[in-house]
Amino acid sequence: MTASTANSTASPIRYPDVSSQRAMTVRGWWLVVLNFLIPGSAQVLAGNRKLGRFGLYFTFAMWIMAIIGLVIYLIWPQVIFSIATNPIPLGAVQVVLLAYAILWVILTLDTLRLVRLVRVGTRARPALALFSVLLLVVASGGAAAGAYYANVAQSGLNAVFSAQAAAEPPIDGRYNILLLGGDAGPDRDGMRPDSMTVVSIEADTGRATMIGVPRNLEQVPIVEGSPLIGSDYAPDGSYDCGSDCQISFLYPRVMAFDPDMYPNAEAEGSNSGVEATKDAIEGALGITIQYYVMIDMQGFSDLIDALGGVDINVTEALPMGGDEDGNEIEGWIWPGEQHMNGYTALWYARSRHTTSDYDRMQRQGELQTAILQQFQPVNVLTKFQGIVQAGTQVVQTDIPQSTLSYFIDLALKTKDLPIDRIDLTPPLIDPEDPDWDTVRSTVSNALVLSTATNDAG
Protein backbone atom coordinates (compact mmCIF):
# COMPACT_ATOMS: atom_id res chain seq x y z
CA MET A 1 0.00 0.00 0.00
CA THR A 2 1.41 3.34 -1.01
CA ALA A 3 1.60 6.39 1.28
CA SER A 4 -0.98 8.18 -0.79
CA THR A 5 -3.36 5.25 -0.48
CA ALA A 6 -2.89 5.12 3.31
CA ASN A 7 -3.57 8.82 3.62
CA SER A 8 -6.69 8.56 1.54
CA THR A 9 -8.18 5.81 3.74
CA ALA A 10 -7.35 7.32 7.22
CA SER A 11 -10.23 8.96 9.16
CA PRO A 12 -10.00 12.75 9.13
CA ILE A 13 -9.66 14.64 12.45
CA ARG A 14 -13.08 16.10 13.39
CA TYR A 15 -13.34 19.37 15.33
CA PRO A 16 -16.58 20.58 16.93
CA ASP A 17 -18.07 23.20 14.72
CA VAL A 18 -18.58 26.69 16.11
CA SER A 19 -22.36 26.43 16.22
CA SER A 20 -22.18 23.19 18.24
CA GLN A 21 -19.76 24.73 20.77
CA ARG A 22 -22.00 27.76 21.11
CA ALA A 23 -25.05 25.56 21.75
CA MET A 24 -23.17 23.50 24.37
CA THR A 25 -21.97 26.68 26.05
CA VAL A 26 -25.49 28.10 26.29
CA ARG A 27 -26.73 24.72 27.51
CA GLY A 28 -23.98 24.65 30.15
CA TRP A 29 -24.85 28.09 31.52
CA TRP A 30 -28.52 27.15 31.72
CA LEU A 31 -27.81 23.91 33.61
CA VAL A 32 -25.53 25.64 36.12
CA VAL A 33 -28.01 28.45 36.80
CA LEU A 34 -30.95 26.04 37.06
CA ASN A 35 -28.99 23.89 39.51
CA PHE A 36 -28.50 26.95 41.71
CA LEU A 37 -32.05 28.29 41.49
CA ILE A 38 -33.91 24.95 41.55
CA PRO A 39 -31.56 22.19 42.71
CA GLY A 40 -32.42 18.94 40.97
CA SER A 41 -33.90 20.54 37.85
CA ALA A 42 -30.68 20.09 35.83
CA GLN A 43 -30.74 16.34 36.45
CA VAL A 44 -34.44 16.06 35.54
CA LEU A 45 -33.79 17.85 32.23
CA ALA A 46 -30.50 16.28 31.18
CA GLY A 47 -29.31 13.57 33.55
CA ASN A 48 -30.27 11.14 36.29
CA ARG A 49 -33.96 11.82 36.75
CA LYS A 50 -34.17 9.80 39.97
CA LEU A 51 -31.48 12.00 41.55
CA GLY A 52 -33.12 15.08 40.07
CA ARG A 53 -36.54 14.24 41.49
CA PHE A 54 -34.98 13.67 44.93
CA GLY A 55 -33.28 17.07 44.71
CA LEU A 56 -36.51 18.73 43.62
CA TYR A 57 -38.53 17.14 46.43
CA PHE A 58 -35.95 18.29 48.95
CA THR A 59 -35.80 21.79 47.44
CA PHE A 60 -39.59 22.21 47.37
CA ALA A 61 -39.80 20.96 50.96
CA MET A 62 -37.24 23.60 52.01
CA TRP A 63 -39.15 26.31 50.14
CA ILE A 64 -42.43 25.30 51.75
CA MET A 65 -40.88 25.26 55.23
CA ALA A 66 -39.30 28.67 54.62
CA ILE A 67 -42.60 30.18 53.42
CA ILE A 68 -44.52 28.66 56.34
CA GLY A 69 -41.84 29.94 58.74
CA LEU A 70 -42.08 33.47 57.31
CA VAL A 71 -45.88 33.47 57.57
CA ILE A 72 -45.75 32.18 61.15
CA TYR A 73 -43.13 34.80 62.05
CA LEU A 74 -45.35 37.59 60.71
CA ILE A 75 -48.44 36.25 62.50
CA TRP A 76 -47.04 34.62 65.63
CA PRO A 77 -43.28 35.27 66.01
CA GLN A 78 -43.06 33.53 69.38
CA VAL A 79 -43.33 30.15 67.61
CA ILE A 80 -40.18 30.91 65.61
CA PHE A 81 -38.45 32.14 68.77
CA SER A 82 -39.39 28.82 70.41
CA ILE A 83 -37.65 26.90 67.64
CA ALA A 84 -34.61 29.17 67.75
CA THR A 85 -34.23 28.80 71.53
CA ASN A 86 -35.01 25.10 71.96
CA PRO A 87 -32.05 22.71 71.61
CA ILE A 88 -34.14 19.88 70.11
CA PRO A 89 -35.57 21.86 67.14
CA LEU A 90 -32.15 23.50 66.72
CA GLY A 91 -30.63 20.04 66.43
CA ALA A 92 -33.19 19.12 63.76
CA VAL A 93 -32.44 22.33 61.85
CA GLN A 94 -28.74 21.52 62.03
CA VAL A 95 -29.29 18.05 60.51
CA VAL A 96 -31.49 19.40 57.70
CA LEU A 97 -29.01 22.14 56.78
CA LEU A 98 -26.09 19.71 56.74
CA ALA A 99 -28.07 17.35 54.51
CA TYR A 100 -28.91 20.23 52.19
CA ALA A 101 -25.25 21.29 52.03
CA ILE A 102 -24.16 17.75 51.09
CA LEU A 103 -26.96 17.36 48.54
CA TRP A 104 -25.99 20.65 46.86
CA VAL A 105 -22.37 19.48 46.52
CA ILE A 106 -23.54 16.24 44.89
CA LEU A 107 -25.94 18.03 42.52
CA THR A 108 -23.36 20.66 41.56
CA LEU A 109 -20.67 18.08 40.73
CA ASP A 110 -23.20 16.07 38.74
CA THR A 111 -24.28 19.23 36.91
CA LEU A 112 -20.67 19.91 35.89
CA ARG A 113 -20.55 16.38 34.50
CA LEU A 114 -23.71 17.07 32.49
CA VAL A 115 -22.29 20.35 31.19
CA ARG A 116 -19.41 18.46 29.45
CA LEU A 117 -16.87 21.22 29.74
CA VAL A 118 -14.71 19.73 26.96
CA ARG A 119 -17.48 20.46 24.45
CA VAL A 120 -18.20 24.08 25.44
CA GLY A 121 -16.35 27.05 24.02
CA THR A 122 -12.69 27.26 25.01
CA ARG A 123 -13.04 30.72 26.51
CA ALA A 124 -16.22 29.80 28.41
CA ARG A 125 -14.76 26.75 30.17
CA PRO A 126 -12.87 28.49 33.01
CA ALA A 127 -15.68 31.05 33.50
CA LEU A 128 -18.32 28.34 33.67
CA ALA A 129 -16.28 26.23 36.08
CA LEU A 130 -15.48 29.21 38.32
CA PHE A 131 -19.10 30.35 38.32
CA SER A 132 -20.23 26.87 39.36
CA VAL A 133 -17.73 26.81 42.22
CA LEU A 134 -18.83 30.27 43.43
CA LEU A 135 -22.49 29.23 43.42
CA LEU A 136 -21.55 26.05 45.28
CA VAL A 137 -19.75 28.08 47.95
CA VAL A 138 -22.73 30.43 48.32
CA ALA A 139 -25.34 27.69 48.50
CA SER A 140 -23.64 24.75 50.17
CA GLY A 141 -21.38 26.98 52.26
CA GLY A 142 -24.35 29.03 53.42
CA ALA A 143 -26.22 25.90 54.49
CA ALA A 144 -23.14 24.56 56.28
CA ALA A 145 -22.66 27.92 58.04
CA GLY A 146 -26.30 27.84 59.12
CA ALA A 147 -25.78 24.36 60.56
CA TYR A 148 -22.69 25.58 62.39
CA TYR A 149 -24.50 28.55 63.91
CA ALA A 150 -27.35 26.28 64.95
CA ASN A 151 -24.78 24.15 66.78
CA VAL A 152 -23.25 27.26 68.40
CA ALA A 153 -26.70 28.39 69.56
CA GLN A 154 -27.52 24.92 70.87
CA SER A 155 -24.29 24.77 72.87
CA GLY A 156 -24.79 28.31 74.19
CA LEU A 157 -28.35 27.62 75.33
CA ASN A 158 -27.29 24.46 77.16
CA ALA A 159 -24.38 26.29 78.80
CA VAL A 160 -26.32 29.31 80.06
CA PHE A 161 -29.98 28.40 80.53
CA SER A 162 -31.39 25.73 82.79
CA ALA A 163 -33.39 22.89 81.29
CA GLN A 164 -34.64 21.79 84.73
CA ALA A 165 -35.77 25.12 86.19
CA ALA A 166 -39.52 25.59 86.40
CA ALA A 167 -41.23 28.53 84.72
CA GLU A 168 -42.56 31.17 87.09
CA PRO A 169 -45.81 33.06 86.45
CA PRO A 170 -45.97 36.87 86.47
CA ILE A 171 -46.97 38.44 89.80
CA ASP A 172 -49.29 41.44 89.67
CA GLY A 173 -48.79 41.36 85.92
CA ARG A 174 -45.00 41.71 86.15
CA TYR A 175 -41.78 39.77 85.90
CA ASN A 176 -39.09 40.99 88.30
CA ILE A 177 -35.57 39.98 87.29
CA LEU A 178 -32.54 40.64 89.48
CA LEU A 179 -29.43 41.74 87.55
CA LEU A 180 -26.19 41.18 89.46
CA GLY A 181 -22.86 42.54 88.26
CA GLY A 182 -20.37 40.21 89.90
CA ASP A 183 -16.79 41.37 90.41
CA ALA A 184 -14.23 38.69 91.23
CA GLY A 185 -11.18 40.92 91.06
CA PRO A 186 -7.68 39.77 92.07
CA ASP A 187 -7.88 41.77 95.31
CA ARG A 188 -11.03 39.96 96.47
CA ASP A 189 -11.92 36.56 97.90
CA GLY A 190 -14.62 35.07 95.70
CA MET A 191 -17.37 36.81 93.77
CA ARG A 192 -19.12 39.92 95.12
CA PRO A 193 -22.08 41.60 93.43
CA ASP A 194 -21.01 45.22 93.04
CA SER A 195 -24.02 46.11 90.91
CA MET A 196 -27.62 45.18 91.82
CA THR A 197 -30.58 46.19 89.70
CA VAL A 198 -34.12 44.84 89.61
CA VAL A 199 -35.74 45.02 86.17
CA SER A 200 -39.52 44.96 86.56
CA ILE A 201 -41.23 44.21 83.23
CA GLU A 202 -44.94 44.30 82.45
CA ALA A 203 -45.81 40.84 81.18
CA ASP A 204 -48.23 42.12 78.52
CA THR A 205 -46.56 45.23 77.15
CA GLY A 206 -42.83 44.88 77.89
CA ARG A 207 -42.67 48.29 79.63
CA ALA A 208 -39.70 48.11 82.00
CA THR A 209 -38.72 49.89 85.19
CA MET A 210 -35.16 49.53 86.51
CA ILE A 211 -34.66 49.80 90.27
CA GLY A 212 -31.09 50.49 91.37
CA VAL A 213 -30.18 48.94 94.73
CA PRO A 214 -27.10 50.39 96.47
CA ARG A 215 -24.46 47.78 97.25
CA ASN A 216 -23.86 49.43 100.65
CA LEU A 217 -27.47 49.07 101.84
CA GLU A 218 -27.52 48.00 105.52
CA GLN A 219 -30.00 46.55 108.05
CA VAL A 220 -31.88 44.89 105.20
CA PRO A 221 -35.10 43.06 106.19
CA ILE A 222 -35.30 39.49 104.90
CA VAL A 223 -38.44 38.18 103.20
CA GLU A 224 -40.61 35.87 105.28
CA GLY A 225 -39.88 32.15 104.99
CA SER A 226 -36.20 32.61 104.16
CA PRO A 227 -33.70 30.23 105.82
CA LEU A 228 -31.65 33.34 106.63
CA ILE A 229 -34.14 34.32 109.32
CA GLY A 230 -33.06 33.01 112.71
CA SER A 231 -29.55 32.23 111.45
CA ASP A 232 -26.40 34.17 112.26
CA TYR A 233 -27.08 36.32 109.17
CA ALA A 234 -30.48 37.58 110.27
CA PRO A 235 -31.18 36.49 113.86
CA ASP A 236 -33.96 39.06 114.24
CA GLY A 237 -35.24 39.01 110.66
CA SER A 238 -32.82 41.63 109.26
CA TYR A 239 -29.33 41.17 107.85
CA ASP A 240 -27.37 42.30 110.90
CA CYS A 241 -24.01 40.77 111.75
CA GLY A 242 -22.27 43.72 113.38
CA SER A 243 -19.88 45.67 111.16
CA ASP A 244 -19.69 45.35 107.38
CA CYS A 245 -23.21 44.04 106.91
CA GLN A 246 -23.77 45.69 103.57
CA ILE A 247 -26.08 43.79 101.27
CA SER A 248 -23.27 43.12 98.76
CA PHE A 249 -21.38 41.06 101.38
CA LEU A 250 -24.27 38.61 101.82
CA TYR A 251 -23.50 36.70 98.62
CA PRO A 252 -19.80 35.91 99.30
CA ARG A 253 -20.42 35.07 102.96
CA VAL A 254 -23.19 32.59 102.26
CA MET A 255 -21.16 31.02 99.46
CA ALA A 256 -18.09 30.74 101.69
CA PHE A 257 -19.71 29.47 104.88
CA ASP A 258 -23.16 28.09 104.01
CA PRO A 259 -23.21 27.02 100.34
CA ASP A 260 -25.87 24.38 101.13
CA MET A 261 -28.30 26.76 102.82
CA TYR A 262 -30.59 26.54 99.76
CA PRO A 263 -30.38 22.82 98.81
CA ASN A 264 -32.50 23.10 95.64
CA ALA A 265 -30.72 26.14 94.23
CA GLU A 266 -28.12 24.36 92.09
CA ALA A 267 -30.69 22.08 90.44
CA GLU A 268 -32.67 25.19 89.46
CA GLY A 269 -29.71 27.00 87.92
CA SER A 270 -28.89 29.18 90.92
CA ASN A 271 -26.77 29.01 94.08
CA SER A 272 -27.16 29.86 97.76
CA GLY A 273 -25.45 33.25 97.42
CA VAL A 274 -27.88 34.36 94.74
CA GLU A 275 -30.91 33.04 96.64
CA ALA A 276 -29.83 34.79 99.84
CA THR A 277 -29.40 38.06 97.93
CA LYS A 278 -32.85 37.62 96.35
CA ASP A 279 -34.41 37.07 99.78
CA ALA A 280 -32.80 40.27 101.05
CA ILE A 281 -33.86 42.39 98.06
CA GLU A 282 -37.39 40.97 98.11
CA GLY A 283 -37.69 41.91 101.79
CA ALA A 284 -36.24 45.38 101.16
CA LEU A 285 -38.37 46.29 98.13
CA GLY A 286 -41.58 44.45 98.99
CA ILE A 287 -41.72 42.60 95.66
CA THR A 288 -41.20 39.01 94.49
CA ILE A 289 -38.24 38.25 92.23
CA GLN A 290 -38.83 35.39 89.81
CA TYR A 291 -35.42 35.16 88.13
CA TYR A 292 -31.86 36.43 88.29
CA VAL A 293 -29.11 37.13 85.76
CA MET A 294 -25.51 37.47 86.94
CA ILE A 295 -22.91 39.05 84.66
CA ASP A 296 -19.25 38.58 85.55
CA MET A 297 -17.70 42.02 85.22
CA GLN A 298 -14.33 40.44 84.35
CA GLY A 299 -15.86 39.16 81.11
CA PHE A 300 -18.23 42.09 80.64
CA SER A 301 -15.99 43.73 78.06
CA ASP A 302 -16.10 40.64 75.81
CA LEU A 303 -19.87 40.91 75.47
CA ILE A 304 -19.70 44.60 74.57
CA ASP A 305 -16.94 43.95 72.03
CA ALA A 306 -19.03 41.15 70.53
CA LEU A 307 -21.92 43.60 70.13
CA GLY A 308 -19.67 46.11 68.39
CA GLY A 309 -19.41 48.57 71.28
CA VAL A 310 -21.92 50.92 72.90
CA ASP A 311 -22.70 54.63 72.56
CA ILE A 312 -22.63 56.65 75.80
CA ASN A 313 -22.87 60.38 76.49
CA VAL A 314 -20.14 60.99 79.09
CA THR A 315 -20.83 64.00 81.32
CA GLU A 316 -17.53 64.24 83.22
CA ALA A 317 -13.95 63.04 82.93
CA LEU A 318 -13.42 59.63 84.53
CA PRO A 319 -10.11 57.92 85.34
CA MET A 320 -9.40 54.39 84.17
CA GLY A 321 -7.66 52.62 87.03
CA GLY A 322 -5.61 54.34 89.70
CA ASP A 323 -6.26 54.89 93.38
CA GLU A 324 -7.94 57.53 95.52
CA ASP A 325 -4.83 59.73 95.31
CA GLY A 326 -4.80 59.64 91.50
CA ASN A 327 -1.75 57.38 91.24
CA GLU A 328 -1.21 54.85 88.42
CA ILE A 329 -4.13 56.06 86.29
CA GLU A 330 -4.09 54.18 82.96
CA GLY A 331 -6.05 56.79 81.02
CA TRP A 332 -9.14 58.97 81.00
CA ILE A 333 -12.66 58.80 79.60
CA TRP A 334 -13.38 62.31 78.39
CA PRO A 335 -16.78 64.08 78.31
CA GLY A 336 -18.89 63.93 75.17
CA GLU A 337 -20.47 61.33 72.93
CA GLN A 338 -18.33 58.21 73.06
CA HIS A 339 -18.48 54.92 71.17
CA MET A 340 -16.94 52.64 73.78
CA ASN A 341 -15.31 49.28 73.32
CA GLY A 342 -15.55 46.70 76.08
CA TYR A 343 -12.43 47.83 77.92
CA THR A 344 -13.52 51.47 78.10
CA ALA A 345 -17.11 50.55 78.99
CA LEU A 346 -15.88 48.36 81.84
CA TRP A 347 -13.96 51.27 83.32
CA TYR A 348 -16.97 53.54 82.77
CA ALA A 349 -18.94 51.13 84.95
CA ARG A 350 -16.19 50.66 87.54
CA SER A 351 -14.60 54.11 87.92
CA ARG A 352 -15.31 55.50 91.37
CA HIS A 353 -12.42 57.50 92.81
CA THR A 354 -13.46 60.89 91.38
CA THR A 355 -17.19 60.26 91.88
CA SER A 356 -19.48 58.45 94.31
CA ASP A 357 -20.86 54.92 94.34
CA TYR A 358 -24.24 56.40 93.44
CA ASP A 359 -22.83 58.09 90.34
CA ARG A 360 -21.37 54.73 89.41
CA MET A 361 -24.79 53.09 89.82
CA GLN A 362 -26.24 55.60 87.38
CA ARG A 363 -23.48 54.90 84.85
CA GLN A 364 -24.07 51.16 85.16
CA GLY A 365 -27.74 51.75 84.44
CA GLU A 366 -26.81 53.74 81.32
CA LEU A 367 -24.65 50.85 80.13
CA GLN A 368 -27.42 48.32 80.73
CA THR A 369 -29.80 50.39 78.62
CA ALA A 370 -27.17 50.91 75.91
CA ILE A 371 -26.45 47.17 75.72
CA LEU A 372 -30.16 46.43 75.37
CA GLN A 373 -30.34 48.86 72.46
CA GLN A 374 -27.46 47.06 70.73
CA PHE A 375 -29.42 43.80 70.55
CA GLN A 376 -30.75 44.59 67.08
CA PRO A 377 -31.66 41.53 64.92
CA VAL A 378 -29.09 42.38 62.22
CA ASN A 379 -26.41 43.08 64.81
CA VAL A 380 -27.05 39.79 66.59
CA LEU A 381 -27.07 37.76 63.36
CA THR A 382 -23.83 39.24 62.01
CA LYS A 383 -22.00 38.83 65.33
CA PHE A 384 -23.83 35.77 66.55
CA GLN A 385 -20.90 33.52 67.36
CA GLY A 386 -19.01 36.16 69.36
CA ILE A 387 -22.13 37.10 71.33
CA VAL A 388 -22.88 33.48 72.21
CA GLN A 389 -19.29 32.77 73.21
CA ALA A 390 -19.14 35.91 75.36
CA GLY A 391 -22.51 35.09 76.90
CA THR A 392 -21.49 31.59 77.96
CA GLN A 393 -18.43 33.05 79.70
CA VAL A 394 -20.05 35.92 81.57
CA VAL A 395 -23.70 35.06 82.15
CA GLN A 396 -25.34 32.88 84.78
CA THR A 397 -29.11 32.71 85.12
CA ASP A 398 -32.00 30.57 86.29
CA ILE A 399 -34.30 31.65 83.44
CA PRO A 400 -35.56 28.31 82.02
CA GLN A 401 -34.97 27.35 78.40
CA SER A 402 -38.71 26.77 78.07
CA THR A 403 -39.44 30.48 78.63
CA LEU A 404 -36.78 31.96 76.33
CA SER A 405 -39.09 32.48 73.36
CA TYR A 406 -41.49 34.45 75.54
CA PHE A 407 -38.75 36.62 77.01
CA ILE A 408 -37.20 37.31 73.60
CA ASP A 409 -40.58 38.49 72.38
CA LEU A 410 -40.94 40.60 75.54
CA ALA A 411 -37.43 42.04 75.15
CA LEU A 412 -38.20 43.19 71.61
CA LYS A 413 -41.18 45.10 72.99
CA THR A 414 -39.08 46.53 75.84
CA LYS A 415 -36.41 47.80 73.43
CA ASP A 416 -38.95 49.95 71.61
CA LEU A 417 -40.38 51.55 74.78
CA PRO A 418 -38.92 54.12 77.19
CA ILE A 419 -37.23 52.53 80.20
CA ASP A 420 -38.00 54.09 83.58
CA ARG A 421 -35.36 54.07 86.32
CA ILE A 422 -35.25 54.84 90.02
CA ASP A 423 -32.19 54.63 92.27
CA LEU A 424 -32.60 54.09 95.99
CA THR A 425 -29.83 56.53 96.87
CA PRO A 426 -29.41 59.72 98.91
CA PRO A 427 -31.09 62.07 99.50
CA LEU A 428 -34.13 59.82 98.97
CA ILE A 429 -32.67 56.89 100.96
CA ASP A 430 -29.90 56.77 103.54
CA PRO A 431 -28.23 53.37 102.89
CA GLU A 432 -26.83 53.20 106.42
CA ASP A 433 -30.22 53.79 108.05
CA PRO A 434 -32.95 53.20 105.46
CA ASP A 435 -36.60 54.05 105.98
CA TRP A 436 -38.10 50.84 104.62
CA ASP A 437 -41.59 52.28 104.33
CA THR A 438 -40.15 54.98 102.05
CA VAL A 439 -38.23 52.38 100.05
CA ARG A 440 -41.29 50.22 99.45
CA SER A 441 -43.66 53.07 98.71
CA THR A 442 -41.13 54.55 96.24
CA VAL A 443 -40.89 51.22 94.42
CA SER A 444 -44.64 50.65 94.47
CA ASN A 445 -45.40 54.15 93.20
CA ALA A 446 -42.84 53.84 90.41
CA LEU A 447 -44.37 50.58 89.17
CA VAL A 448 -47.91 51.95 89.37
CA LEU A 449 -46.84 55.10 87.50
CA SER A 450 -45.12 53.01 84.82
CA THR A 451 -48.30 50.97 84.28
CA ALA A 452 -50.52 54.07 84.23
CA THR A 453 -48.24 55.86 81.78
CA ASN A 454 -48.17 52.88 79.47
CA ASP A 455 -51.97 52.50 79.60
CA ALA A 456 -52.42 56.18 78.82
CA GLY A 457 -50.01 55.92 75.90
Side-chain angles (χ1 to χ4, degrees), residues 260-328:
D260 299 324
M261 177 171 280
Y262 295 81
N264 298 326
E266 186 173 349
E268 296 175 353
S270 183
N271 60 53
S272 289
V274 167
E275 294 303 311
T277 305
K278 283 170 63 176
D279 284 352
I281 292 181
E282 284 185 355
L285 305 188
I287 61 176
T288 299
I289 296 173
Q290 291 98 327
Y291 301 114
Y292 87 96
V293 177
M294 175 176 280
I295 300 177
D296 179 6
M297 299 297 285
Q298 291 291 321
F300 179 69
S301 62
D302 292 337
L303 181 59
I304 292 178
D305 284 338
L307 287 167
V310 290
D311 296 316
I312 297 291
N313 182 22
V314 181
T315 59
E316 59 184 312
L318 298 168
M320 295 190 290
D323 57 24
E324 295 180 357
D325 298 323
N327 299 317
E328 299 182 0

Side-chain angles (χ1 to χ4, degrees), residues 153-173:
Q154 186 180 31
S155 301
L157 290 172
N158 289 330
V160 175
F161 298 96
S162 172
Q164 289 78 32
E168 299 287 344
I171 296 176
D172 297 328

